[in-house]
């Protein structure tokens, strides 16, 4: 197993490099970079108009002659802006310089916040990770028992009405559920039981330890509910189908013929095999919540997580933050996939990744 872990860790570097290359190339074609942002601020033009006039792309040198001819902006100022943001150099040179800095764990400074990207990411990352872990914990605690119960009672009235509940929850997007919860429980139209925004109260540091815990979960109640309601449906049906498949196998019939209790058959023989596919989905579920669900929830509830940070960086074309958050997300995803494989072995020692082709 040690050799497999080392091979997977060795693949992290080229995978990260490949992801950064692809996204760096794509960014070249995105209109409106930070230089254009500063031009727009200087002249009072909209971002779209500036991007169309410069026609230089986000990471390429803007067409300063076309721009200054129309609005009288000094070409020296344009050149100074390009030098300030490092766009006076060719794209390939900027990329390799960026990757060399990344090897040294130097992610640069934000263009518009004047702070190191590492500090911003480390400041926001615990919010996103805690949101993802708590929501996944709730999802698994709901989905696994419900999936097992549905498999045991397959075709019963319980199975039918819970399936209706599951598919109804699946049909409602997480962000729409978040808005609905705000309207009902956060002072929208009915009740004012939960705060509308933020992770903690303004007087959080003045509270006792118990008060801080209560205040934290009071603020997390609606975001976690929105993520959980929209995320448990798939895992519930996956658990049910996995258990149904195992219950139909020959070893289950043999165990029952020997007189073993249904509880012993279910949790002594079926559970381990059926849970393999559920465990395998944990890394993908966690990364999925960080990339998609948590982003929208952070925006709606104004939670200062890494998803909101990345979203703001895309809007402002703050490339150091954009690539820094991308690097963080990719690294977390690769690590979670490795953890999922290791968990496979913990659940079923018969699995051997040593002979697996990577």
């Amino acid at each position: 197993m040690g050799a497999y872990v080392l091979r997977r860790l060795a693949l992290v570097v080229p995978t990260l490099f490949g992801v950064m290359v692809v996204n760096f190339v794509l960014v070249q074609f995105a209109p409106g970079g930070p230089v254009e942002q500063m031009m727009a601020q200087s002249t009072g033009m909209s971002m779209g108009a500036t991007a169309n006039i410069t026609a230089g792309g986000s990471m390429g040198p803007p067409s300063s002659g076309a721009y200054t001819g129309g609005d009288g902006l000094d070409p020296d100022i344009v050149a100074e802006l390009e030098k300030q943001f490092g766009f006076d150099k060719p794209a390939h040179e900027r990329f390799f310089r960026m990757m060399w800095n990344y090897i040294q764990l130097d992610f640069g400074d934000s263009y518009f916040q004047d702070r190191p990207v590492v500090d911003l990411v480390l400041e926001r990352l615990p919010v996103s990770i805690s949101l993802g872990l708590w929501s996944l914990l709730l999802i698994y605690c709901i989905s696994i028992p419900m999936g097992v119960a549905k498999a045991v009672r397959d075709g019963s009235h319980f199975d039918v009405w819970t399936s209706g509940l599951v598919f109804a929850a699946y049909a409602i997007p997480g962000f729409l559920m978040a808005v609905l919860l705000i309207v009902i429980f956060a002072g929208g139209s009915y009740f004012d039981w939960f705060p509308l925004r933020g992770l903690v109260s303004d007087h959080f540091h003045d509270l006792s330890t118990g008060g801080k815990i209560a205040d934290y979960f009071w603020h997390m109640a609606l975001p976690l509910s929105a993520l959980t309601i929209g995320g448990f449906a798939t895992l519930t049906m996956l658990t049910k189908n996995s258990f149904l498949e195992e219950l139909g196998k020959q070893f289950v019939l043999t165990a029952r013929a020997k007189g073993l209790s249904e509880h012993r058959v279910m949790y002594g023989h079926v559970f381990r095999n059926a849970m393999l596919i559920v465990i395998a989905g944990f890394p993908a579920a966690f990364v999925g919540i960080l990339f998609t669900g948590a982003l929208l929830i952070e925006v709606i509830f104004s939670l200062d997580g890494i998803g909101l940070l990345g979203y703001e960086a895309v809007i402002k074309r703050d490339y150091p933050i954009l690539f820094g958050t991308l690097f963080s997300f990719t690294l977390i995803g690769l690590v979670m996939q490795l953890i999922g494989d290791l968990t496979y072995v913990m659940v079923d020692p018969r699995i051997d990744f040593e002979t697996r082709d990577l």
Side-chain angles (χ1 to χ4, degrees):
M1 190 63 188
Y4 172 75
V5 173
L6 291 177
R7 292 199 304 269
R8 287 293 298 271
L9 291 176
L11 284 174
V12 169
V13 174
T15 303
L16 282 173
F17 183 81
V19 170
M20 300 302 292
V21 168
V22 171
N23 284 273
F24 189 87
V25 171
L26 291 176
V27 162
Q28 307 308 303
F29 301 98
V35 174
E36 287 83 352
Q37 289 268 7
M38 296 301 295
M39 288 180 181
Q41 293 178 11
S42 300
T43 60
M45 296 180 61
S46 67
M47 198 49 228
T50 307
N52 290 333
I53 291 176
T54 59
S58 61
M59 298 291 284
S63 179
S64 50
Y67 183 85
T68 55
D71 295 88
L73 192 62
D74 191 344
D76 293 336
I77 297 179
V78 177
E80 184 178 348
L81 289 174
E82 294 174 6
K83 184 177 181 180
Q84 175 184 347
F85 292 112
F87 298 132
D88 57 331
K89 299 178 177 62
H92 69 278
E93 183 177 340
R94 286 184 275 115
F95 173 76
F96 286 110
R97 182 176 181 180
M98 179 185 71
M99 294 306 300
W100 173 249
N101 291 335
Y102 277 22
I103 293 175
Q104 304 175 72
L105 299 181
D106 179 11
F107 296 95
D109 296 335
S110 168
Y111 286 157
F112 301 102
Q113 298 191 44
D114 196 25
R115 291 183 59 191
V117 173
V118 173
D119 293 346
L120 291 170
V121 171
L122 293 179
E123 181 182 297
R124 305 287 189 94
L125 191 59
V127 176
S128 296
I129 290 180
S130 63
L131 187 62
L133 288 178
W134 282 119
S135 60
L136 277 183
L137 178 63
L138 290 174
I139 289 172
Y140 271 71
C141 287
I142 295 173
S143 300
I144 293 177
M146 182 179 291
V148 173
K150 287 173 64 64
V152 174
R153 300 172 178 84
D154 184 40
S156 65
H157 290 293
F158 172 82
D159 182 38
V160 173
W161 73 263
T162 52
S163 294
L165 178 65
V166 166
F167 287 118
Y170 181 74
I172 303 176
F175 72 90
L176 184 59
M177 179 59 65
V179 174
L180 181 62
L181 291 175
I182 289 175
V183 171
I184 298 177
F185 297 109
S189 301
Y190 299 94
F191 307 102
D192 192 8
W193 292 349
F194 298 97
L196 179 61
R197 58 188 300 157
L199 193 62
V200 294
S201 301
D202 294 335
H203 60 286
F204 178 78
H205 296 290
D206 299 329
L207 300 175
S208 62
T209 301
K212 289 180 179 179
I213 296 175
D215 183 76
Y216 170 76
F217 283 106
W218 182 48
H219 282 77
M220 291 285 283
L222 294 186
L224 288 179
S225 297
L227 283 174
T228 302
I229 293 175
F232 80 95
T234 302
L235 185 59
T236 298
M237 300 308 298
L238 179 64
T239 303
K240 175 192 173 182
N241 294 334
S242 180
F243 271 81
L244 284 177
E245 181 180 356
E246 294 297 324
L247 286 172
K249 292 184 177 179
Q250 184 63 41
F251 74 91
V252 176
L253 299 177
T254 303
R256 286 172 174 168
K258 290 181 178 180
L260 297 180
S261 65
E262 193 65 24
H263 185 274
R264 179 69 181 278
V265 172
M266 179 64 68
Y267 296 100
H269 294 76
V270 175
F271 188 81
R272 174 177 292 183
N273 293 334
M275 285 300 295
L276 286 176
I277 191 173
V278 177
I279 292 173
F282 178 84
F286 180 73
V287 176
I289 285 180
L290 286 180
F291 272 107
T292 56
L295 167 61
L296 297 174
I297 298 301
E298 287 174 9
V299 172
I300 293 173
F301 290 98
S302 299
L303 302 176
D304 290 330
I306 194 171
L308 181 59
L309 179 67
Y311 172 77
E312 292 173 345
V314 171
I315 298 300
K316 296 179 180 180
R317 303 299 194 268
D318 199 337
Y319 294 128
I321 294 181
L322 178 62
F323 287 112
T325 53
L326 174 66
F327 182 88
S328 302
F329 275 134
T330 306
L331 183 60
I332 291 173
L334 294 173
V335 171
M336 291 304 299
Q337 288 180 353
L338 178 58
I339 292 175
D341 288 345
L342 296 177
T343 310
Y344 252 134
V345 178
M346 292 175 59
V347 174
D348 190 349
R350 296 173 299 175
I351 296 178
D352 182 16
F353 285 106
E354 294 288 352
T355 59
R356 176 181 175 182
D357 294 330
L358 294 177

